Amino acid sequence: MESQSPFFEVIRPEHQSLPLIFNSPHSGRVYPRPFLEAARLDARDIRRSEDLYVDELFAEVPAFGAPLQRAFFPRAFLDVNREPYELDPRMFSGALPAHVNATSMRVAGGLGTIPKVVAENMPIYEGPIDAAEGLARIERIYRPYHQSLKGLMQDTRRQFGYAVLVDCHSMPGTVSLGGRRARPDIIIGDRYGTSASGALAFAALSILEGMGFSTAYNKPYAGGFITEHYGHPASDTHALQIEISRRLYADEENFVKKPEFIAVKQALNVFIRAFAAEVVAFGGAQPMAAE
């Protein structure tokens, strides 16, 4: 079953049998024409912030009994893995609300709710964009997206007594890890132990390593706003971020799938099944939440 808006969709199983929700917020690749016309980047470079095909890597999730929410809009247009108002006033013509967070590290890096740059610090816009247009993106897309995700978490916790969100992303083939260049296959993040039980994070890492993947934990990607906002272990809601190296399955320069894409997707299906079993066992060892 699918519940759909023009901007994202939730693909639900016939019956949700797992206390799991999967989310792909950065794999959208529907670029609004007015946005492309206003951008200084060409149709190729503007894609450099995409989590390439991550929604397709996790497309089988509903068959296992868990919902999958995925964005249609691109991250370069709107980033829902940010606070609602992480905005750089220098980007806009017109007044912004007084409550904007203009001083976050993400805004400083040009990667706020309305991004200023794509990956590799390439500016998106020729000049300021209308503040009303930026705020409209937040009202029309950001808020409904998070209302939907919040609803999935609440429904899952109500049904099972706890909920586990897996926020799905991709990363460059080479990353900086402890001051050195490294090439981990997959990184699991839990905001340094604050967004999920350590048992869940270590279960995920153990499964992946047992499958032959090289892994890292929290560095350099510990999780963003979604992981932090939805992960509250004391309230029986847990959130993990998974980052998959694009070099495993995609040509990062040409934005196309490698032949290995199918094998990586199949491996992730094995991971999903094994991790789901760990999540169910974890719930059986925990006291049910009081309503």
Side-chain angles (χ1 to χ4, degrees):
M1 292 191 301
E2 298 181 10
S3 55
Q4 192 164 326
S5 90
F7 306 111
F8 64 93
E9 70 177 345
V10 179
I11 308 171
R12 302 174 186 268
E14 289 290 332
H15 168 68
Q16 185 175 346
S17 59
L18 295 172
L20 276 164
I21 301 101
F22 286 75
N23 179 52
S24 183
H26 287 165
S27 56
R29 44 196 176 270
V30 178
Y31 288 80
R33 183 176 297 277
F35 171 62
L36 291 175
E37 291 172 350
R40 63 183 293 175
L41 300 177
D42 60 28
R44 172 191 172 92
D45 285 337
I46 205 163
R47 298 188 64 188
R48 292 187 180 276
S49 288
E50 277 183 32
D51 281 349
L52 291 172
Y53 307 113
V54 165
D55 55 338
E56 295 186 25
L57 287 174
F58 287 92
E60 302 304 317
V61 160
F64 291 96
L68 169 66
Q69 179 162 313
R70 62 171 183 163
F72 296 145
F73 56 90
R75 179 188 186 185
F77 182 70
L78 176 74
D79 193 342
V80 290
N81 198 22
R82 300 289 182 261
E83 298 171 21
Y85 293 100
E86 280 188 84
L87 301 173
D88 184 347
R90 296 169 298 179
M91 285 182 61
F92 300 94
S93 60
L96 293 174
H99 55 265
V100 301
N101 179 356
T103 60
S104 79
M105 292 294 292
R106 294 178 290 215
V107 168
L111 296 172
T113 316
I114 308 293
K116 187 175 185 177
V117 301
V118 296
E120 303 170 17
N121 290 317
M122 301 174 72
I124 296 172
Y125 301 99
E126 288 285 2
I129 61 175
D130 184 60
E133 159 60 19
L135 296 174
R137 295 181 198 177
I138 294 168
E139 293 302 320
R140 290 186 296 110
I141 305 173
Y142 182 102
R143 291 195 182 282
Y145 192 95
H146 279 280
Q147 287 168 358
S148 175
L149 197 54
K150 180 180 178 181
L152 289 172
M153 291 292 284
Q154 290 176 333
D155 291 347
T156 300
R157 182 180 178 277
R158 190 177 301 116
Q159 179 179 346
F160 297 95
Y162 66 111
V164 179
L165 172 66
V166 181
D167 203 41
C168 306
H169 298 264
S170 71
M171 62 183 174
T174 303
V175 299
S176 178
L177 188 59
R180 61 183 175 83
R181 304 300 289 170
R183 291 167 64 82
D185 295 329
I186 299 177
I187 297 175
I188 297 294
D190 63 1
R191 301 291 299 180
Y192 298 97
T194 64
S195 69
S197 165
L200 294 172
F202 288 115
L205 290 164
S206 178
I207 293 165
L208 292 164
E209 290 168 3
M211 294 175 66
F213 289 107
S214 63
T215 68
Y217 178 42
N218 279 319
K219 294 181 180 179
Y221 304 115
F225 172 78
I226 288 172
T227 312
E228 179 180 22
H229 184 70
Y230 291 97
H232 301 287
S235 300
D236 299 308
T237 55
H238 304 263
L240 294 175
Q241 179 172 282
I242 184 168
E243 294 267 1
I244 302 163
S245 176
R246 290 190 285 273
R247 67 177 167 76
L248 297 178
Y249 67 89
D251 179 332
E252 295 185 71
E253 290 302 314
N254 295 305
F255 311 107
V256 296
K257 299 171 190 173
K258 290 180 177 177
E260 293 86 349
F261 178 88
I262 294 174
V264 173
K265 181 176 179 177
Q266 291 172 339
L268 287 171
N269 286 343
V270 172
F271 164 74
I272 292 164
R273 187 185 297 276
F275 183 65
E278 293 288 343
V279 169
V280 170
F282 169 81
Q286 303 300 309
M288 295 295 282
E291 292 296 330

